[in-house]
């Protein structure tokens, strides 16, 4: 038996979808355990490109069971849209199961996400930069114990009671606090009752399914959304998501213990990107940053927003190795850096008082004052897209990989040398 967790190690968009898709081909169960449709995975499957938001990447394999765990928040309209889109492309989604405990994103969550974001921006002058998908408000209701769940969606009488109770409270907040338009609760009930009828066939207990699969010796893949620096506790708070995209979140968001995890693979890029606001020590503001953005096609899967680009940050990676218990790294997009004469890697930070630190700061305020300490490495030339063995890479590229491995303190087991599924090197 074997189980693997795939996590992002930077600020997201590291190419997890590609790595997950490769591993999902061998997996018998694929589990998504956190986040919602604010996450986007681009997967090149066959000759087609798919942009997944809620569906696990194993959905392309009909014999692979795909689970959405209790830690995921479900936008039923978005999920059904994805399912129907897949069916139109010949993928049935009959292998999908949704944990009955998973919380549901309601219309008031979408309204409150936008209204509260605008209010906080006016109050503080800072925009956190959420996707506006209602994720944060949904998780807040879950913690407040007033959320609606997939189980409720599939039981109309219970659904109506909860919509009227919670919806009345949320309408008061929308109207009295933010001056917004309230939700029509009768219309919400009819809409979500219809969603429940369509989703009922997928409702299950992901915890039991996963545990039984592990006991039966099946290969399980836990698919992470977002990334380490967006974790609610260990990310760059408050510029974070509302859940736990680190490896521990796979256990909490599925309902299995840590002993069921055999390996944790962290996914990164050979440089660093970020979407939204917040400190970014190695960010490039020059033509080189623009070049990396264009070559790497660094635009958000969900929002289309251009990503901020910068040099590889080994301080971040050591933080990811520690907080996730990484057993190996998969680093994508080495091909993007080909032809750049000199590469830089951040090996430490210099604090405001001149001290050099090698561990990631605890607070945003500390990080905001840090300056990167760089090590310069010779760049490499050539087309890497056809390389399938480490020895086939240019010598200077090999040296770059080995140096990253030393600085991160973690074995680099997979190297991405192009966007296609087969453009990888396994070490």
């Amino acid at each position: 038996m074997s189980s693997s967790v795939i996590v992002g190690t930077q600020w997201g968009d590291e190419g997890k979808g590609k790595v997950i898709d490769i591993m999902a081909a061998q997996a018998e169960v694929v589990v998504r355990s956190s986040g919602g449709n604010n996450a986007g995975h681009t997967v090149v499957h066959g000759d087609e490109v798919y942009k997944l938001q809620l569906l696990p990447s194993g959905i392309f394999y009909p014999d692979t069971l795909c689970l959405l765990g209790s830690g995921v928040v479900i936008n039923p309209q978005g999920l059904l849209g994805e399912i129907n889109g897949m069916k139109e492309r010949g993928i049935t989604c009959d292998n999908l199961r949704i944990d009955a405990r998973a919380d549901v994103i309601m219309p008031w969550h979408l309204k409150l996400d936008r209204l509260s974001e605008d209010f906080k921006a006016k109050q503080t002058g800072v925009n956190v930069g959420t996707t506006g998908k209602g994720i944060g408000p949904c998780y807040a209701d879950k913690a407040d114990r007033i959320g609606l769940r997939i189980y409720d969606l599939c039981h109309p009488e219970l659904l109506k009671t909860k919509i009227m109770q919670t919806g009345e409270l949320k309408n008061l907040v929308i109207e009295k606090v933010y001056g917004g338009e309230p939700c029509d609760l009768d219309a919400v009930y009819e809409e979500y009752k219809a969603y429940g009828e369509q989703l009922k066939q997928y409702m299950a207990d992901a915890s039991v399914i996963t545990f039984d699969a592990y006991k039966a010796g099946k290969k399980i893949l836990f698919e992470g959304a977002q990334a380490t620096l967006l974790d609610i506790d260990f990310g760059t708070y408050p510029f974070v998501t509302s859940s736990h995209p680190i490896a521990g979140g796979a256990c909490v968001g599925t309902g299995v213990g840590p002993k069921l995890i055999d390996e944790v693979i962290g996914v990164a890029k050979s440089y660093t990107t970020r979407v939204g606001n917040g400190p970014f020590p190695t960010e490039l503001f020059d033509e080189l940053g623009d070049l990396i953005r264009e070559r790497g096609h660094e635009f958000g899967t969900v929002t289309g927003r251009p990503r901020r680009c910068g040099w590889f940050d080994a301080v971040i990676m050591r933080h990811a190795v520690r907080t996730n218990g990484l057993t190996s790294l998969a680093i994508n997009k080495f091909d993007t850096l080909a032809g750049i004469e000199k590469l830089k890697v951040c090996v430490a930070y210099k604090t405001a008082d001149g001290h050099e630190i090698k561990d990631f700061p605890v607070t945003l305020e500390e990080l905001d004052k840090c300056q990167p300490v760089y090590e310069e490495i010779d760049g490499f030339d050539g087309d890497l897209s056809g390389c399938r063995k480490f020895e086939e890479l240019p010598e200077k590229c090999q040296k770059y990989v080995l140096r990253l491995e030393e600085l991160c303190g973690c074995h680099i087991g997979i190297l991405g040398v192009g966007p296609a599924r087969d453009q990888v090197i396994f070490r």
Side-chain angles (χ1 to χ4, degrees):
M1 68 185 77
S2 66
S3 63
S4 306
V5 180
I6 309 292
V7 296
T9 57
Q10 296 161 318
W11 275 289
D13 312 309
E14 301 97 343
K16 295 183 295 297
K18 175 180 175 178
V19 177
I20 290 165
D21 182 47
I22 291 169
M23 298 192 67
Q26 286 80 45
E28 294 165 277
V29 180
V30 177
V31 188
R32 169 85 181 271
S33 56
S34 68
N37 62 332
N38 58 336
H41 288 168
T42 300
V43 176
V44 180
H45 185 74
D47 296 326
E48 296 193 59
V49 177
Y50 297 84
K51 295 184 182 295
L52 306 179
Q53 293 185 31
L54 274 168
L55 290 174
S57 297
I59 202 69
F60 305 106
Y61 307 99
D63 294 329
T64 300
L65 196 57
C66 292
L67 308 178
L68 293 176
S70 62
V72 180
V73 290
I74 309 289
N75 181 318
Q77 182 182 41
L79 178 58
L80 287 166
E82 275 195 79
I83 290 171
N84 292 332
M86 285 293 179
K87 288 180 178 178
E88 290 172 3
R89 299 172 77 171
I91 297 165
T92 67
C93 297
D94 291 342
N95 53 335
L96 176 67
R97 301 290 183 273
I98 308 169
D99 196 290
R101 306 174 188 87
D103 276 61
V104 177
I105 294 173
M106 304 298 293
W108 49 78
H109 294 138
L110 298 168
K111 284 178 177 281
L112 288 167
D113 201 355
R114 185 186 71 254
L115 291 167
S116 64
E117 184 81 351
D118 291 344
F119 179 81
K120 287 180 284 189
K122 290 176 184 176
Q123 287 270 341
T124 65
V126 176
N127 190 319
V128 173
T130 75
T131 58
K133 301 283 186 177
I135 308 298
C138 185
Y139 276 116
D141 278 2
K142 180 177 183 175
D144 201 23
R145 300 175 294 280
I146 57 172
L148 280 83
R149 295 180 161 188
I150 290 294
Y151 180 89
D152 304 325
L153 220 60
C154 300
H155 293 81
E157 290 185 10
L158 186 58
L159 175 67
K160 187 164 191 175
T161 299
K162 290 194 173 185
I163 283 178
M164 296 306 163
Q165 290 174 344
T166 303
E168 185 178 347
L169 171 63
K170 294 301 173 180
N171 275 345
L172 283 172
V173 176
I174 290 169
E175 288 185 277
K176 303 301 183 183
V177 176
Y178 297 115
E181 289 292 321
C183 297
D184 182 336
L185 300 184
D186 290 321
V188 171
Y189 168 68
E190 293 298 331
E191 179 185 355
Y192 276 68
K193 182 176 72 170
Y195 293 149
E197 291 169 357
Q198 297 176 75
L199 293 174
K200 193 172 186 177
Q201 61 180 306
Y202 304 109
M203 188 173 68
D205 187 331
S207 174
V208 170
I209 293 171
T210 306
F211 187 69
D212 287 347
Y214 187 84
K215 287 195 298 182
K218 294 184 177 181
K219 293 181 179 179
I220 304 169
L221 182 65
F222 295 89
E223 173 183 356
Q226 288 98 23
T228 301
L229 292 185
L230 297 177
D231 185 87
I232 187 71
D233 282 331
F234 296 100
T236 47
Y237 187 90
F239 299 101
V240 293
T241 192
S242 307
S243 59
H244 292 291
I246 58 174
C251 296
V252 176
T254 305
V256 296
K259 284 189 175 182
L260 267 65
I261 307 300
D262 297 316
E263 66 173 352
V264 182
I265 301 170
V267 185
K269 288 174 183 166
S270 60
Y271 48 94
T272 311
T273 65
R274 182 172 191 178
V275 171
N277 298 319
F280 182 175
T282 67
E283 184 172 8
L284 292 166
F285 299 96
D286 56 11
E287 294 179 358
L288 191 53
D290 295 335
L291 175 68
I292 291 173
R293 183 180 301 107
E294 292 302 320
R295 278 192 185 178
H297 307 289
E298 297 297 350
F299 300 91
T301 302
V302 175
T303 63
R305 289 183 290 185
R307 297 172 185 145
R308 300 156 65 188
C309 297
W311 294 118
F312 189 91
D313 191 329
V315 179
I316 286 174
M317 295 307 300
R318 290 193 293 268
H319 175 71
V321 169
R322 181 182 69 253
T323 54
N324 291 288
L326 296 184
T327 54
S328 68
L329 281 163
I331 300 186
N332 288 310
K333 296 195 173 183
F334 283 99
D335 52 304
T336 301
L337 299 182
I340 298 176
E341 185 178 356
K342 294 290 183 181
L343 303 173
K344 291 183 179 180
V345 177
C346 176
V347 297
Y349 294 154
K350 184 170 285 188
T351 63
D353 57 6
H355 287 90
E356 201 168 288
I357 58 173
K358 293 190 176 182
D359 293 319
F360 195 69
V362 171
T363 69
L364 189 77
E365 290 75 15
E366 292 173 283
L367 179 64
D368 197 32
K369 297 174 183 177
C370 287
Q371 296 297 318
V373 177
Y374 286 120
E375 177 179 310
E376 193 171 81
I377 300 173
D378 287 339
F380 49 87
D381 293 313
D383 181 4
L384 309 186
S385 62
C387 297
R388 296 296 178 270
K389 295 181 180 180
F390 185 69
E391 296 75 19
E392 294 173 356
L393 292 170
E395 185 178 350
K396 289 182 178 179
C397 183
Q398 294 181 38
K399 289 182 178 179
Y400 181 60
V401 174
L402 294 174
R403 185 58 182 145
L404 294 188
E405 195 169 68
E406 291 174 352
L407 291 168
C408 297
C410 187
H411 171 64
I412 300 173
I414 300 175
L415 288 74
V417 292
R421 186 175 181 275
D422 64 340
Q423 289 180 313
V424 292
I425 294 171
F426 295 95
R427 291 178 68 224

